[in-house]
Amino acid sequence: MGVKTYNPYENMLLVMDQAAERLGLRKDDYEWLRYPERELTVSIPIKMDNGELKVFQGYRVQYDSTRGPYKGGIRYHQDSDLDEVKALAGWMTFKCAVVNIPYGGAKGAVRVDPRELSRDELIRLTRRYTTRILPLIGPDQDIPAPDVNTNGEVMGWIMDTYSMFHGHSVPGVVTGKPLEIGGSIGRAEATGRGVIIVAMHCLKKMGLDADKLTYVVQGMGNVGGTAAANILYQEGKKVIAVGDYSGGVYKEDGLNIPEITEFLDGGKRCLKEYESEGILRLTNDELLECKCDVLIPAALENQITKEIAEHISAKVIIEAANGPTTVEADEILKERGVIVVPDILANAGGVVVSYFEWVQNIQSLAWDLDEVNVMLEKIMLRAYDDVEEMANDKNSTMRMGAYMVAINRICTAGRLRGGPISMA
């Protein structure tokens, strides 16, 4: 078994320490923020369709609740582990602080390849996982949402299971639900829409004409394909390459994104099966290094490594995924003059509209799409300007600026609450 060289949690802590130092904080001022408040590992035994019993491993990490209830998605992925979930929970904490919504951060995962399970097996897995994390979640304490390989339907199963144990319907326990059971209009594409709002604002501030640029999107899931790439296409932008786990496709004149999205059919097919006149096949590395103006990594963490960073040709990277760039790669990109808009700012649109959904649920209201999108844009643009102001003030990268904004807000809230005092 090979040595695991990349640890996303350690990667996150390195950036946090650098940002705290730039803020002039002493270790005592933020040391508590380096540790999750609560980590839960659970076993999930389910009966498979063939009668065999299988036991899966699940996690829920509640990172910090200084600014409000925990908030964070649940992913189903065969490579998930506790360090990944801790990192994702930490990033959620910072993300909520960057966009200044009253949440802390959390994350959940089940170590499973959902493509290998039938729908009935997925339902049983989800319901059993929900019972295992039941003591931790609730509309006032911890509100899950969709993430990699989960969706609104899965959130519906979680909501139903939680509601059964409480004897009445509790729609506010999760966000990202279908509209018919309390979801918010605009939530499905919110992360991707937020990415594009931030990207266009960044390009405008750089004095670049967004209509004349070329775009590459890595990842064709909910964020990359369903939202970001399609919104770019609808707005007349030229998306020249996209990729998923099976590889990428490239076309110099621009790809037909709606056709690709329809072909992929929500993950039922993959890009290596897609055929169209004039396309070229790319490996994942070739996709990331592809000659373009704007690169949008929207897959998993640890994609832009120091080796890849040396060959990136994009002028701007908009991080739609969580943690796609390593600390070492960040340094190389900085030296090469590549602008990186960090994940905790760029992909925060999802949690912003999740917040809107939660507010609608607890007030028994429903907003219309214009109201959701106008509020989303307002919050994303304000967050971008806050981060840029901090980065300029401290002569730092946008990533450092985002972390400094977040840490400053969390530590200020901690001080106002009395700090990490002893209960003895």
Side-chain angles (χ1 to χ4, degrees):
M1 190 173 174
V3 177
K4 187 177 180 183
T5 56
Y6 172 77
N7 184 313
Y9 179 55
E10 290 174 2
N11 199 84
M12 183 201 73
L13 292 179
L14 272 172
V15 182
M16 188 200 302
D17 288 340
Q18 291 169 15
E21 187 178 343
R22 278 180 173 268
L23 278 171
L25 296 179
R26 295 174 296 115
K27 201 81 170 198
D28 286 355
D29 294 329
Y30 78 98
E31 178 70 11
W32 52 277
L33 196 51
R34 301 180 86 254
Y35 301 90
E37 290 178 358
R38 191 176 288 114
E39 303 170 23
L40 179 67
T41 301
V42 298
S43 62
I44 310 164
I46 65 163
K47 186 169 281 190
M48 309 301 282
D49 291 343
N50 64 3
E52 177 190 357
L53 183 76
K54 268 195 175 181
V55 181
F56 298 88
Q57 192 160 44
Y59 312 94
R60 187 68 179 172
V61 172
Q62 296 177 328
Y63 200 91
D64 183 78
S65 59
T66 306
R67 301 183 75 253
Y70 304 103
K71 186 81 186 80
I74 291 170
R75 65 174 50 182
Y76 289 170
H77 198 277
Q78 62 274 16
D79 296 328
S80 288
D81 60 23
L82 188 56
D83 279 330
E84 177 196 59
V85 180
K86 284 162 63 175
L88 291 164
W91 285 323
M92 276 301 303
T93 303
F94 300 136
K95 193 181 300 183
C96 293
V98 165
V99 291
N100 209 14
I101 55 177
Y103 279 147
K107 209 73 175 187
V110 177
R111 194 177 176 90
V112 61
D113 184 346
R115 293 170 296 183
E116 296 179 356
L117 271 62
S118 70
R119 186 171 183 275
D120 284 345
E121 288 168 340
L122 276 174
I123 292 172
R124 292 196 290 274
L125 178 82
T126 301
R127 289 191 182 281
R128 180 57 65 103
Y129 171 67
T130 304
T131 65
R132 294 299 203 228
I133 65 169
L134 200 73
L136 301 190
I137 63 173
D140 297 320
Q141 58 191 107
D142 184 352
I143 307 107
D147 198 81
V148 175
N149 293 329
T150 60
N151 54 22
E153 186 175 41
V154 174
M155 293 307 107
W157 302 336
I158 293 174
M159 172 197 154
D160 185 62
T161 308
Y162 183 90
S163 298
M164 280 166 38
F165 275 84
H166 285 77
H168 59 91
S169 183
V170 190
V173 69
V174 290
T175 59
K177 304 178 293 296
L179 284 175
E180 295 80 0
I181 53 172
S184 173
I185 193 166
R187 172 61 187 89
E189 67 273 16
T191 306
R193 185 171 295 281
V195 166
I196 302 307
I197 289 169
V198 163
M200 296 303 109
H201 194 54
C202 173
L203 296 172
K204 183 180 176 183
K205 290 209 161 197
M206 290 175 69
L208 297 172
D209 186 346
D211 291 334
K212 295 179 180 176
L213 304 180
T214 54
Y215 301 81
V216 169
V217 180
Q218 181 212 29
M220 288 298 285
N222 291 339
V223 178
T226 310
N230 269 296
I231 292 169
L232 285 169
Y233 183 89
Q234 289 159 13
E235 294 183 354
K237 310 297 188 286
K238 190 190 287 188
V239 182
I240 59 170
V242 297
D244 65 9
Y245 66 92
S246 70
V249 292
Y250 169 90
K251 190 174 183 181
E252 187 177 356
D253 295 337
L255 294 163
N256 186 332
I257 301 300
E259 180 183 281
I260 292 173
T261 305
E262 186 178 351
F263 172 82
L264 294 175
D265 195 15
K268 291 176 185 169
R269 287 190 284 264
C270 61
L271 275 173
K272 72 177 180 182
E273 300 165 342
Y274 173 72
E275 297 288 349
S276 181
E277 189 178 344
I279 64 165
L280 298 174
R281 303 283 175 191
L282 300 176
T283 65
N284 186 55
D285 288 0
E286 288 170 343
L287 181 83
L288 293 170
E289 296 168 6
C290 181
K291 186 170 174 54
C292 67
D293 298 303
V294 181
L295 172 64
I296 303 177
L300 296 170
E301 60 272 2
N302 191 31
Q303 296 298 301
I304 302 176
T305 60
K306 62 181 180 180
E307 292 81 13
I308 296 288
E310 296 280 7
H311 304 288
I312 291 278
S313 67
K315 300 181 185 77
V316 181
I317 297 173
I318 311 289
E319 293 186 337
N322 291 310
T325 310
T326 66
V327 170
E328 297 84 2
D330 248 346
E331 283 301 311
I332 293 166
L333 293 169
K334 179 184 174 185
E335 288 166 13
R336 296 187 60 223
V338 179
I339 301 297
V340 180
V341 181
D343 48 2
I344 61 172
L345 168 61
N347 70 27
V351 75
V352 170
V353 179
S354 275
Y355 168 60
F356 297 164
E357 180 178 332
W358 178 71
V359 168
Q360 291 169 75
N361 288 160
I362 60 179
Q363 294 184 342
S364 299
L365 292 171
W367 301 358
D368 61 31
L369 184 59
D370 283 346
E371 193 172 1
V372 169
N373 285 342
V374 166
M375 285 292 290
L376 171 63
E377 184 169 20
K378 181 180 177 182
I379 287 175
M380 294 303 292
L381 294 183
R382 184 177 61 202
Y384 184 98
D385 291 343
D386 288 346
V387 168
E388 186 179 55
E389 184 181 347
M390 178 69 84
N392 290 339
D393 185 51
K394 299 291 186 180
N395 191 27
S396 75
T397 62
M398 288 288 282
R399 188 183 312 283
M400 276 295 124
Y403 270 77
M404 285 188 281
V405 166
I407 291 168
N408 185 49
R409 284 175 177 160
I410 296 165
C411 289
T412 298
R415 283 196 301 274
L416 290 169
R417 290 181 55 162
I421 56 174
S422 169
M423 300 297 287

